[in-house]
Amino acid sequence: MSLISEDTDPSGSRAAARPAAATPQPNRVTFNRLELNRILNLYGRMVADGEWRDYAIDFLKDRAVFSVFRRASEVPIYRIEKDPRLARKQGMYSVISATGLILRRGHELERVLLVIDRKLSLV
């Protein structure tokens, strides 16, 4: 016999039993859907060209980082960072090389990614 009556919604009791870790923490910086879409489109093209092979995403308290690897066992060749603390200064988006050199920083993700997004050119 079930302890739940026929009038109660069984999904309501499951929602209350979920752990708190399943919900995103509000104090973490994340990429939104449009930002991730643009980054993953670039990543997909570079994988198709054979230049990139792996990636990692880190959501930290002060910034979100998308790291790009040539091989999974190496250090990232590029890091795309979103740091909201710099939004009113140099811009919250930046592309950082493997040596730590900031290649480009700005307020718009699209313009910042142009430093590593090589378009097809006529020869």
Side-chain angles (χ1 to χ4, degrees), residues 1-10 13:
M1 279 212 119
S2 176
L3 297 174
I4 300 174
S5 69
E6 294 176 5
D7 296 332
T8 60
D9 182 22
S13 62

Side-chain angles (χ1 to χ4, degrees), residues 34-58:
L34 294 174
E35 294 165 342
L36 269 179
N37 188 27
R38 175 63 181 102
I39 293 170
L40 289 174
N41 281 338
L42 171 63
Y43 175 78
R45 283 197 317 264
M46 296 302 238
V47 167
D49 290 343
E51 294 186 32
W52 297 351
R53 298 198 191 276
D54 201 8
Y55 73 92
I57 301 177
D58 297 313

Side-chain angles (χ1 to χ4, degrees), residues 57-122:
I57 301 177
D58 297 313
F59 299 132
L60 307 172
K61 286 186 178 183
D62 59 341
R63 66 185 188 272
V65 182
F66 187 94
S67 303
V68 177
F69 298 88
R70 185 161 291 144
R71 291 181 190 83
S73 62
E74 293 181 350
V75 296
I77 55 175
Y78 295 112
R79 289 190 333 255
I80 302 164
E81 293 191 1
K82 176 182 178 181
D83 191 347
R85 295 176 301 168
L86 300 174
R88 294 184 182 261
K89 296 178 184 174
Q90 304 103 328
M92 76 170 122
Y93 302 106
S94 59
V95 174
I96 303 170
S97 70
T99 60
L101 178 68
I102 298 175
L103 301 176
R104 184 171 289 176
R105 177 175 281 156
H107 298 285
E108 299 172 11
L109 179 64
E110 191 73 30
R111 296 192 55 141
V112 171
L113 290 180
L114 288 177
V115 74
I116 54 177
D117 187 7
R118 291 183 227 117
K119 300 282 185 188
L120 294 175
S121 60
L122 293 174

